[in-house]
Coordinates of all heavy atoms in Angstrom, one line a residue:
Chain C
L116 N -43.4 -42.1 25.1 CA -43.6 -41.6 23.7 C -42.5 -40.7 23.3 O -42.0 -40.7 22.1 CB -44.9 -40.9 23.6 CG -46.1 -41.9 23.7 CD1 -47.4 -41.1 23.6 CD2 -46.1 -42.9 22.5
A117 N -42.0 -39.8 24.2 CA -40.9 -38.9 23.8 C -39.7 -39.7 23.4 O -39.0 -39.3 22.5 CB -40.6 -38.0 25.0
K118 N -39.4 -40.8 24.2 CA -38.2 -41.6 23.9 C -38.4 -42.3 22.5 O -37.5 -42.3 21.7 CB -38.0 -42.7 24.9 CG -37.6 -42.2 26.3 CD -36.0 -42.2 26.3 CE -35.5 -41.9 27.7 NZ -34.8 -40.6 27.8
A119 N -39.6 -42.8 22.2 CA -39.9 -43.4 20.9 C -39.8 -42.4 19.8 O -39.2 -42.7 18.8 CB -41.3 -44.0 21.0
E120 N -40.2 -41.2 20.1 CA -40.1 -40.1 19.0 C -38.7 -39.8 18.7 O -38.3 -39.7 17.6 CB -40.8 -38.8 19.5 CG -40.7 -37.7 18.5 CD -41.6 -36.5 18.8 OE1 -42.3 -36.6 19.8 OE2 -41.6 -35.6 18.0
E121 N -37.9 -39.8 19.8 CA -36.4 -39.5 19.6 C -35.8 -40.6 18.7 O -35.1 -40.3 17.8 CB -35.8 -39.5 21.0 CG -34.5 -38.8 21.2 CD -34.0 -39.0 22.6 OE1 -34.7 -38.5 23.5 OE2 -33.0 -39.6 22.8
L122 N -36.2 -41.8 19.0 CA -35.6 -42.9 18.2 C -36.1 -42.8 16.8 O -35.3 -42.9 15.8 CB -36.1 -44.3 18.8 CG -35.8 -45.5 18.0 CD1 -34.3 -45.7 17.9 CD2 -36.4 -46.8 18.5
L123 N -37.4 -42.6 16.6 CA -37.9 -42.5 15.2 C -37.3 -41.4 14.4 O -36.9 -41.6 13.2 CB -39.4 -42.4 15.2 CG -40.2 -43.7 15.7 CD1 -41.7 -43.3 15.9 CD2 -40.0 -44.8 14.6
I124 N -37.1 -40.3 15.0 CA -36.6 -39.1 14.3 C -35.1 -39.4 14.0 O -34.6 -39.0 12.9 CB -36.7 -37.8 15.2 CG1 -38.1 -37.5 15.6 CG2 -36.0 -36.6 14.5 CD1 -38.9 -36.6 14.7
K125 N -34.4 -40.1 14.9 CA -33.0 -40.5 14.6 C -32.9 -41.4 13.4 O -32.0 -41.4 12.6 CB -32.4 -41.1 15.9 CG -30.9 -41.3 15.8 CD -30.3 -41.6 17.1 CE -30.6 -43.0 17.4 NZ -29.8 -43.8 18.3
V126 N -33.9 -42.3 13.4 CA -33.9 -43.4 12.4 C -34.3 -42.8 11.0 O -33.8 -43.3 10.0 CB -34.8 -44.5 12.8 CG1 -35.2 -45.4 11.6 CG2 -34.2 -45.3 13.9
K127 N -35.2 -41.8 11.0 CA -35.8 -41.4 9.8 C -34.8 -41.1 8.6 O -35.1 -41.6 7.5 CB -36.6 -40.1 10.0 CG -37.4 -39.8 8.7 CD -38.4 -38.6 8.9 CE -38.9 -38.3 7.6 NZ -39.9 -37.1 7.6
P128 N -33.7 -40.4 8.8 CA -32.8 -40.2 7.6 C -32.3 -41.4 7.0 O -31.9 -41.5 5.9 CB -31.7 -39.3 8.2 CG -32.2 -38.9 9.5 CD -33.2 -39.8 10.0
H129 N -32.3 -42.6 7.8 CA -31.8 -43.8 7.3 C -32.8 -44.7 6.6 O -32.5 -45.7 6.0 CB -31.2 -44.6 8.4 CG -30.1 -43.9 9.2 ND1 -28.8 -43.8 8.7 CD2 -30.1 -43.2 10.4 CE1 -28.1 -43.1 9.6 NE2 -28.8 -42.7 10.6
L130 N -34.1 -44.3 6.6 CA -35.1 -45.1 6.1 C -35.2 -45.0 4.6 O -34.8 -44.0 4.0 CB -36.5 -44.7 6.7 CG -36.7 -45.0 8.1 CD1 -38.1 -44.4 8.6 CD2 -36.7 -46.5 8.4
F131 N -35.8 -46.0 3.9 CA -36.1 -45.9 2.5 C -37.4 -45.2 2.3 O -37.5 -44.3 1.5 CB -36.1 -47.3 1.9 CG -36.6 -47.3 0.5 CD1 -35.8 -46.8 -0.5 CD2 -37.9 -47.8 0.1 CE1 -36.2 -46.8 -1.8 CE2 -38.3 -47.7 -1.2 CZ -37.5 -47.2 -2.2
A132 N -38.4 -45.6 3.1 CA -39.7 -44.9 3.0 C -40.5 -45.1 4.2 O -40.3 -46.1 5.0 CB -40.4 -45.5 1.8
I133 N -41.5 -44.3 4.4 CA -42.6 -44.5 5.4 C -43.8 -44.8 4.6 O -44.4 -43.9 4.0 CB -42.8 -43.2 6.2 CG1 -41.4 -42.8 6.9 CG2 -43.9 -43.3 7.2 CD1 -41.4 -41.4 7.4
N134 N -44.2 -46.1 4.6 CA -45.3 -46.5 3.7 C -45.8 -47.8 4.1 O -45.0 -48.7 4.3 CB -44.7 -46.6 2.2 CG -45.8 -46.6 1.2 OD1 -46.9 -47.1 1.4 ND2 -45.5 -46.2 0.0
S135 N -47.1 -47.9 4.2 CA -47.7 -49.2 4.6 C -47.9 -50.2 3.5 O -48.3 -51.3 3.7 CB -49.1 -49.0 5.3 OG -49.0 -48.0 6.3
D136 N -47.6 -49.7 2.2 CA -47.7 -50.6 1.1 C -46.3 -50.9 0.7 O -45.7 -50.3 -0.2 CB -48.5 -49.9 0.0 CG -49.9 -49.7 0.4 OD1 -50.7 -50.6 0.4 OD2 -50.2 -48.5 0.7

Side-chain angles (χ1 to χ4, degrees):
Chain C
L116 287 177
K118 289 271 189 245
E120 178 169 4
E121 201 180 297
L122 172 66
L123 287 171
I124 302 267
K125 189 168 77 155
V126 162
K127 186 175 174 182
H129 301 283
L130 292 176
F131 173 71
I133 301 166
N134 192 332
S135 309
D136 299 281

